[in-house]
Amino acid sequence: MRFAAIADVHGNYLALEAVLADIRALDITAIVNIGDMVSGPLDARRTIEILMNLDAVHVLGNHDRYLLDRPSEKMGSWDRPAFEALDAAQLDWLRAQPMTRIFRDQVFLCHATPESDEVYWLDIVHPDGTVALSPLDRIEPFAQGLTQSLILCAHTHLARAVRLRDGRLIVNPGSVGSPGFRDKHPYPHVVEAGTPHARYAILELVDGAWQVTFRHVAYDHETMAALARRNGQPELANALATGWIK
């Protein structure tokens, strides 16, 4: 089995196009998308059109859910522009996607953790705002009850691979379209990837063991940074341009 995992596109259609071109060039035909597809001050409609026409398996992220479970006046600054850009059929397509999924019997998909689409799994935020790899004793309980040998999550936008003590592998492929963001929960913090590349992962089962390859793909990030800046999101513009919030 060999497939690509993408996540956290956040309306960045140019990054998505570059990643999909890279996947095709590697002759990979199977793709899973682990959520947070369109929210952001970029181009939600163009992004969802690409995803709806893509032969892929999808699960919802927390920002996808925000487009569906609340009125627009209660949406955040990343979600309201996306909601207003999408038509009813596109929202219905999102609504039809599950929160978790099992891919080809061997891979469990969730956006954040199996029980929550908002909790960081492989990373932890300390009270001083430092974001670090989570201790294994915190990571493993979230995986209780899952029988699949490979577990994919996203949400933090940081590429990670963690081997559990029983041999299972948990992988976060990183973010296709948003290399940095600021959040207030559980403590104020920033996440920064350090480069503007679009990120995804290739997973391959070789002799009964999973192998992961993280891919960093160059694309016209300056165009998307300019779009974020025009749409009143200077921090996202900086992240798209450099991989850093500041």
Side-chain angles (χ1 to χ4, degrees), residues 120 123-132 155-158 160 178-194 235-236 239 243-246:
Y120 290 4
D123 293 271
I124 189 168
V125 181
H126 295 290
D128 65 357
T130 302
V131 180
H155 190 49
T156 64
H157 299 202
L158 296 173
R160 297 277 197 200
S178 177
F181 65 89
R182 183 184 299 274
D183 202 351
K184 296 182 291 184
H185 304 289
Y187 307 102
H189 64 280
V190 296
V191 170
E192 298 165 308
E235 284 195 338
L236 177 60
W244 302 91
I245 289 290
K246 300 175 183 179

Side-chain angles (χ1 to χ4, degrees), residues 95-140:
R95 196 171 286 111
Q97 309 308 319
M99 302 297 293
T100 65
R101 202 163 195 159
I102 296 173
F103 176 65
R104 296 184 178 176
D105 297 327
Q106 299 186 63
V107 186
F108 184 87
L109 311 177
C110 63
H111 180 67
T113 72
E115 300 297 329
S116 171
D117 60 11
E118 295 181 315
V119 174
Y120 290 4
W121 192 346
L122 302 185
D123 293 271
I124 189 168
V125 181
H126 295 290
D128 65 357
T130 302
V131 180
L133 178 65
S134 188
L136 191 57
D137 285 343
R138 177 184 176 274
I139 292 171
E140 290 195 318

